[in-house]
């Protein structure tokens, strides 16, 4: 994890600055150096820097990072530029977060760097800090002989600023560190393959961290799940040699102002079960536990920040495999709480494990005095990716007010979420002739059908949001901004911010 500091004195020999591109009335573009305006840079020779950028054909567009072995009049020996796009008076937080992240992602072999990016308040500086922290990530756990050649992420970053260094600024940077650490944890879990991440190892590893934070942990094993009636988790997990688990971690500070439950889909590998997925692309299904990792990591961040809100994180964990013990199409299962489901498609497994956990989370929330909100996070449907692409997640709800809060939290944290409906007319499409409901319905609007299925297990008076992060959870394309290839950690920041903004 990168240590984040702020100050007005140069601390490293590498300096990161922003560059933007300004068009004149004739449409001719010129580059503009964008810094924090901190005193430490009074000697920065912008002309020398701009000449060098011109020579290498820099454009200042987003995600363009250039390393220049020049000091440009300062004590630095290398200047790194990160594109901010079109010149603006003020840059929105997410633009700065991404520019900072794109640079820190490229600084792999550098130990410490100073960042000078434009900002005029602490909130903006904090966004820059988050970008630096989020971008400084590399997953090398499974490198063997090639490990030595891997670049280590940036160790120390100093954010140059003319804002005062005080308790408030230190707290803001601490928060950025906590966010980065827990987003990195989420990414690590997602990137860890099912050979090394099973329901058992997932729950044990999270338990270890949770115990270190003084959190309460409960893990139900396969026989307890069966005995207590968790038919969904049991059915999905029964085809695998790696048995299922239900992981429950709670953070309950004294006199909490609110209480939330987070439920995350934890399929450590989704082969599709007897509705076996095609081989091409199946490897990405190691990411089918992204929701589970995100809700647990968000809870860790909330606990580390000691927020006065009680949160329960639930991770129903199973491996969806093919074998003679796997659930068959036409099998009928009894879910936690008693509803029966005809499993027409064993590849629609996420909703089954989630439904059990949602009912249990509701039960526990009620006993504790009632939930102010329940959020589930899941890589639930391919239809989500078709509808919204690979970078925007969907949010469905039974409560518009709660969704407004969630979208506001997403917006301030820089994560992309978009509202999707739960149209009642799709509900009868998963009627079953033999059970209470079936696990699949109309193929058209498949993301919404999955949402409607979950809604069957949510109590109408509890504000609920369902986040389908199927596309954004796992980046199979090129890295961009602070987002690496592989697990992204999406949702962690939105969940944390939702809790913070509920206060
Ligand atoms: N884990 C998948 C959804 C998914 C697809 C996540 C692509 C990320 C990328 C989920 O379990 C699944 O298989 N859903 C099916 C549901 C269908 C059988 C109703 C789907 O979307 O095809
Ligand atoms: Mn599936
Ligand atoms: Zn799945």
């Amino acid at each position: 994890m990168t240590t984040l500091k702020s100050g007005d004195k140069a601390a490293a020999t590498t300096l990161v600055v922003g560059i933007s591109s300004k068009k004149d009335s004739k449409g001719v573009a010129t580059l503009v150096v964008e810094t924090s305006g901190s005193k430490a840079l009074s000697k920065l020779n912008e002309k020398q820097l701009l000449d060098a950028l011109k020579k290498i054909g820099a454009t200042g567009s987003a995600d363009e990072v250039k390393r220049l072995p020049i000091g440009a009049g300062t004590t630095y020996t290398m200047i790194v530029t990160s594109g901010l796009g079109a010149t603006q008076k003020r840059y929105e937080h997410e633009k700065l977060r991404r520019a900072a992240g794109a640079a820190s992602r490229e600084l792999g072999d550098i130990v410490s760097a100073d960042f000078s990016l434009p900002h005029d308040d602490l909130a903006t500086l904090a966004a820059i800090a988050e970008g630096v922290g989020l971008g400084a990530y590399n997953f090398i756990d499974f490198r063997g002989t090639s490990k030595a050649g891997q670049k280590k992420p940036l160790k120390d970053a100093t954010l140059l600023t003319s804002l005062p260094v005080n308790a408030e600024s230190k707290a803001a940077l601490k928060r950025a560190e906590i966010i980065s650490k827990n987003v990195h944890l989420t990414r690590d879990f997602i990137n860890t393959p099912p050979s090394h991440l099973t329901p058992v190892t997932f729950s044990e590893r999270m338990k270890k961290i949770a115990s270190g934070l003084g959190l309460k942990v409960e893990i139900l094993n396969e026989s307890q799940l069966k005995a207590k009636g968790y038919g969904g988790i049991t059915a999905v997990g029964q085809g695998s040699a790696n048995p299922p688990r239900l992981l429950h971690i709670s953070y309950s500070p004294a006199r909490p102002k609110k209480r939330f439950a987070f439920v995350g889909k934890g399929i450590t590998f989704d082969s599709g079960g007897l509705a076996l997925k095609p081989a091409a692309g199946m490897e990405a299904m190691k990411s089918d536990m992204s929701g589970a990792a995100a809700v647990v990591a968000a809870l860790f961040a909330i606990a580390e920040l000691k927020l006065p809100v009680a949160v329960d994180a639930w991770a129903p964990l199973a491996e969806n495999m093919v074998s003679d013990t796997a659930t068959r199409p036409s099998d009928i299962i009894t879910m936690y709480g008693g509803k029966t489901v005809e499993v027409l498609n064993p590849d629609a497994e996420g909703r089954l494990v989630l439904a059990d956990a949602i009912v249990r989370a509701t039960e526990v929330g009620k006993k504790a005095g009632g939930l102010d909100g329940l959020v589930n996070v899941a890589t639930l449907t391919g239809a989500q990716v078709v509808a919204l692409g690979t970078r925007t997640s969907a949010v469905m709800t039974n409560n518009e007010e709660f969704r407004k809060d969630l979208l506001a939290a997403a917006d301030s944290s820089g994560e992309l979420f978009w509202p999707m409906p739960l149209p009642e007319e799709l509900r009868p499409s998963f009627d079953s002739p033999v059970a209470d409901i079936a696990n699949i319905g109309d193929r058209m609007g498949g993301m919404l059908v999955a949402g409607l299925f979950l809604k069957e297990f949510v109590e109408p008076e509890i504000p609920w949001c369902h986040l389908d992060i199927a596309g954004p959870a796992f980046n199979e394309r090129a890295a961009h901004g602070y987002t690496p290839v592989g697990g992204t950690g999406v949702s962690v920041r939105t969940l944390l911010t939702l809790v913070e903004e509920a206060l």
Side-chain angles (χ1 to χ4, degrees), residues 5 16 20 43 98 218 235 255 291 304 309 313 337 366 390 416 418 428-429 454 458 469 471 477 497 503:
K5 285 198 198 83
V16 178
S20 66
K43 292 194 305 276
R98 289 184 191 184
E218 174 198 39
R255 290 178 299 285
E304 283 186 69
V309 173
K366 263 191 189 162
T390 55
L416 297 173
W418 201 254
S429 74
L454 295 179
V458 176
I469 59 167
R477 303 186 182 175
T497 312
L503 289 169

Side-chain angles (χ1 to χ4, degrees), residues 240-276:
S240 171
N242 297 305
R245 291 288 182 270
L246 176 59
L247 169 67
H248 171 208
I249 307 180
S250 37
Y251 167 59
S252 44
R255 290 178 299 285
K257 295 202 167 67
K258 292 257 164 77
R259 176 176 301 277
F260 291 101
F262 299 158
V263 180
K265 172 177 174 181
I267 301 300
T268 52
F269 189 71
D270 183 11
S271 73
L274 284 170
L276 192 63

Side-chain angles (χ1 to χ4, degrees), residues 270 277 320 347-349:
D270 183 11
K277 287 181 183 296
N320 191 21
D347 196 14
E349 83 297 340

